[in-house]
Amino acid sequence: MVTFDVITMGRISVDVYPQQVGVSLREVTSFGKFLGGSSTNVAVAAARYGRRAATITRTGADPFGEYLHDALRGFGVDDRWVTPVPGLPTPVTFCEIFPPDDFPLYFYRQPKAPDLEIHPDELDLDAIRRAKVFWVTVTGLSQEPSRTATLAALRARGDGFTVLDLDYRPMFWSSREEARRWVSEALPYVNVAVGNEDEWETAGDATVELVIRKRGPRGVFAQRGDETVEVPPVAVEVVNGLGAGDAFGGALCHGLLAGWDLERMMRFCNAAGAVVASRLACADAMPAEDEVLAKLEEAVNA
Amino acid sequence: MVTFDVITMGRISVDVYPQQVGVSLREVTSFGKFLGGSSTNVAVAAARYGRRAATITRTGADPFGEYLHDALRGFGVDDRWVTPVPGLPTPVTFCEIFPPDDFPLYFYRQPKAPDLEIHPDELDLDAIRRAKVFWVTVTGLSQEPSRTATLAALRARGDGFTVLDLDYRPMFWSSREEARRWVSEALPYVNVAVGNEDEWETAGDATVELVIRKRGPRGVFAQRGDETVEVPPVAVEVVNGLGAGDAFGGALCHGLLAGWDLERMMRFCNAAGAVVASRLACADAMPAEDEVLAKLEEAVNA
């Protein structure tokens, strides 16, 4: 019986990302291969802070799937709940890198992503219950059996932080209304919800213990009970904005576990996101605590 | 009204191929981006011999699709019949390169490849009729509407060489019997059929004017009426066997148009395949005539 600091549940993929910046997939000539998927990246980011992290997801039964296990272990993320789905290829994701603010994604997740084949009866509900932070995403609600599994996991939760990453991606849904319906099913079981303005538009007005709204150039707004905090963005030369949100998420897990006050936590999360935005990679770019603190100090002195 | 030497019809994809040889997709770290797809490669190979070539196929309406147009034009292949299909991603294909004889392919062609969305009523049947060589593949028969379109194109043919590339890939079919059924529908309309031993197993005994059997280490067997020819393989240090068959096909188009005798043609096709097998790339590796002749001479003197 092991208790994890952080268990995340959701997407995984092989990110096949350009080695050239500022060009479209029409012009790019070569690619690197990286671990990807939002909730997976959050586990990687949390592990970088020394947190004991695991992720629940599924891959294809193929060499790309084996690579994802290697990469998870390399990042110190427990892969015991990462299982193969025969007959479905491991998803690959291409992107284009147009700094500072345009990073289109091209998902190859058809006919179905293995990570949407997470079955409720295969969950280790004891481990999920005991995890100090449990992190799920709205994408996990987009299809069955992952939807039922995600809700079953949420219902199993005991004490601790239960986070819903609003992570709303229109291409995974028939409509925003459909997403809103399932977000509203999940919200009663979580005590932290985090998303950007568009994602909160999908979620609607939610009564959650800790609400975090990422507002891009306007910084971050957080509310816990009567306490509200607004922190400005950390100025950074953006190289690749992809992964910044997951870096924020990993930092949030770390801050929640550390018991930091709201402002300190939001400043740290913001800076962690800024560090990753200033780097080309995503999972490989997740910072250690001293790197985030250096970025924070740099921002204060700027 | 333009008359093409060669029109091919069938698959197209972005080949995302490892930049490392002898490692699986588990270990590979970077990839190059190439034009791919069997019938597309055949058009490229024919164009390298100075033949006026076009291909009929479809891409996604995305940057990878635009890249394929750029690449076709770069190789001198007419792309007027290459059209986008909204809503379907341009297929990508990964491979592993284990010389000398293991080159697994990983197709991302779901939910459906745009090249299987070729509709019969969009075909330029006049141009197809007039082409000196018209080249179709068995994969084009695997799904509708491409199947009906392929058969309609074959029925429209006038004089000239009409080639069926037996190109049987089990993953594109529910069963070998299903493939055999549609191959037998197509065979009466072709006067050249080419494939390896396994593909001929799918085709069954066919009455075709020119039969070409690629037998790997046993060389090539060809039969035209009472005339039979067997030519030995060309010894080569294999780097990447992928594309060798398409190089053979482009050379076959060239030889048919040149009116070469059967033995000369088969030796040339064999050597063209060997040249590409000795190179890492596929479409980018298609040889000019003098390169093939040099390889032939080298083989004679070895």
Side-chain angles (χ1 to χ4, degrees):
Chain A
M1 294 256 285
V2 59
T3 299
F4 283 95
D5 293 324
V6 179
I7 298 177
T8 72
M9 178 171 171
R11 274 198 298 129
I12 197 166
S13 76
V14 175
D15 286 355
V16 184
Y17 279 11
Q19 293 183 324
Q20 296 84 44
V21 168
V23 297
S24 83
L25 289 181
R26 180 174 186 165
E27 290 105 17
V28 64
T29 56
S30 60
F31 302 93
K33 182 187 74 167
F34 305 98
L35 173 74
S38 179
S39 51
T40 299
N41 285 343
V42 169
V44 170
R48 281 288 279 157
Y49 300 118
R51 299 298 177 180
R52 187 162 199 175
T55 193
I56 302 169
T57 187
R58 305 194 73 183
T59 71
D62 50 28
F64 271 153
E66 290 162 12
Y67 158 69
L68 294 173
H69 282 273
D70 294 344
L72 284 168
R73 289 186 204 130
F75 288 123
V77 174
D78 195 290
D79 64 344
R80 74 182 68 187
W81 297 306
V82 182
T83 55
V85 180
L88 291 177
T90 295
V92 298
T93 308
F94 296 87
C95 76
E96 292 171 329
I97 303 170
F98 295 115
D101 58 4
D102 188 21
F103 308 100
L105 289 169
Y106 299 85
F107 293 103
Y108 284 77
R109 285 167 60 84
Q110 298 283 349
K112 187 177 191 179
D115 53 54
L116 295 171
E117 279 292 319
I118 301 173
H119 289 262
D121 55 3
E122 289 163 0
L123 295 175
D124 184 340
L125 292 178
D126 276 340
I128 289 170
R129 184 176 298 111
R130 285 197 314 279
K132 295 176 188 162
V133 177
F134 183 61
W135 181 285
V136 298
T137 82
V138 165
T139 298
L141 298 167
S142 67
Q143 278 191 52
E144 291 293 5
S146 165
R147 177 188 297 151
T148 297
T150 302
L151 292 169
L154 289 176
R155 285 191 199 101
R157 286 288 290 160
D159 297 335
F161 301 101
T162 303
V163 187
L164 179 62
D165 182 346
L166 296 174
D167 178 40
Y168 170 66
R169 296 176 190 262
M171 68 281 269
F172 297 156
W173 292 90
S174 57
S175 70
R176 193 186 281 267
E177 289 63 41
E178 176 75 2
R180 183 174 293 135
R181 178 185 162 200
W182 294 107
V183 171
S184 70
E185 286 278 324
L187 281 168
Y189 303 101
V190 310
N191 46 31
V192 184
V194 55
N196 61 32
E197 294 289 44
D198 182 67
E199 290 167 342
W200 276 105
E201 172 72 25
T202 303
D205 279 331
T207 312
V208 178
E209 214 172 297
L210 173 55
V211 162
I212 301 169
R213 294 171 179 265
K214 297 187 279 188
R215 305 191 297 187
R218 292 164 58 218
V220 174
F221 169 88
Q223 179 162 23
R224 183 157 54 186
D226 293 338
E227 185 189 6
T228 63
V229 161
E230 285 194 66
V231 303
V234 174
V236 70
E237 177 100 21
V238 173
V239 176
N240 183 358
L242 298 170
D246 304 331
F248 188 104
L252 178 59
C253 296
H254 183 50
L256 290 168
L257 290 164
W260 290 340
D261 67 55
L262 201 52
E263 175 156 351
R264 178 176 177 188
M265 187 157 67
M266 288 301 101
R267 286 194 187 279
F268 187 88
C269 292
N270 237 3
V275 169
V276 171
S278 72
R279 297 176 177 175
L280 189 56
C282 298
D284 295 80
M286 295 302 173
E289 184 163 346
D290 57 351
E291 296 174 280
V292 181
L293 295 176
K295 172 63 69 183
L296 265 177
E297 189 141 338
E298 188 188 306
V300 168
N301 298 332
Chain B
M1 296 255 283
V2 59
T3 299
F4 283 94
D5 293 324
V6 178
I7 298 177
T8 72
M9 178 171 172
R11 275 198 298 130
I12 197 166
S13 76
V14 175
D15 285 356
V16 184
Y17 280 9
Q19 292 182 324
Q20 295 84 44
V21 169
V23 297
S24 83
L25 289 181
R26 180 174 186 165
E27 290 104 17
V28 65
T29 57
S30 60
F31 302 94
K33 183 188 73 168
F34 305 98
L35 173 75
S38 179
S39 51
T40 298
N41 284 343
V42 169
V44 170
R48 282 286 280 156
Y49 300 118
R51 299 298 176 179
R52 186 162 199 174
T55 193
I56 303 169
T57 187
R58 306 194 73 181
T59 72
D62 51 28
F64 271 152
E66 290 162 12
Y67 159 67
L68 294 174
H69 282 274
D70 294 344
L72 284 168
R73 289 186 203 128
F75 288 123
V77 174
D78 195 290
D79 65 344
R80 72 182 68 188
W81 297 306
V82 182
T83 56
V85 180
L88 291 178
T90 296
V92 298
T93 308
F94 295 87
C95 76
E96 292 171 329
I97 303 170
F98 296 114
D101 58 4
D102 188 21
F103 308 101
L105 290 169
Y106 299 85
F107 292 103
Y108 284 77
R109 286 167 60 85
Q110 298 282 349
K112 187 177 190 179
D115 53 55
L116 295 170
E117 278 293 319
I118 301 173
H119 288 263
D121 56 2
E122 289 163 0
L123 295 175
D124 184 340
L125 292 178
D126 276 340
I128 289 170
R129 185 175 299 111
R130 284 197 314 280
K132 294 177 191 163
V133 176
F134 182 61
W135 180 285
V136 299
T137 82
V138 165
T139 299
L141 297 167
S142 67
Q143 278 192 52
E144 292 292 4
S146 164
R147 177 188 296 152
T148 297
T150 302
L151 292 169
L154 289 177
R155 286 191 198 99
R157 286 288 291 159
D159 297 334
F161 300 102
T162 304
V163 187
L164 179 61
D165 181 346
L166 296 174
D167 178 41
Y168 169 67
R169 296 177 190 263
M171 68 280 270
F172 297 156
W173 292 91
S174 57
S175 70
R176 193 187 280 267
E177 290 61 43
E178 176 75 1
R180 183 174 293 136
R181 177 185 164 201
W182 294 105
V183 170
S184 70
E185 286 277 325
L187 280 169
Y189 302 103
V190 311
N191 46 31
V192 184
V194 55
N196 61 31
E197 293 289 43
D198 182 67
E199 290 167 342
W200 275 107
E201 171 72 23
T202 304
D205 279 329
T207 312
V208 178
E209 214 172 297
L210 173 56
V211 163
I212 301 170
R213 293 172 180 265
K214 296 186 280 189
R215 304 192 296 187
R218 290 164 58 218
V220 174
F221 169 88
Q223 177 162 24
R224 183 156 56 187
D226 294 336
E227 185 189 6
T228 62
V229 161
E230 286 194 64
V231 303
V234 174
V236 69
E237 177 101 21
V238 173
V239 175
N240 182 358
L242 298 169
D246 305 331
F248 187 103
L252 178 59
C253 296
H254 183 48
L256 290 168
L257 290 164
W260 290 341
D261 66 55
L262 202 51
E263 175 156 352
R264 178 176 177 188
M265 188 157 69
M266 288 302 100
R267 287 194 185 277
F268 187 88
C269 292
N270 237 3
V275 169
V276 171
S278 72
R279 297 174 177 176
L280 190 56
C282 297
D284 294 80
M286 295 301 171
E289 184 165 344
D290 56 351
E291 295 175 279
V292 181
L293 295 176
K295 172 62 69 184
L296 264 178
E297 189 140 342
E298 189 188 306
V300 168
N301 297 333

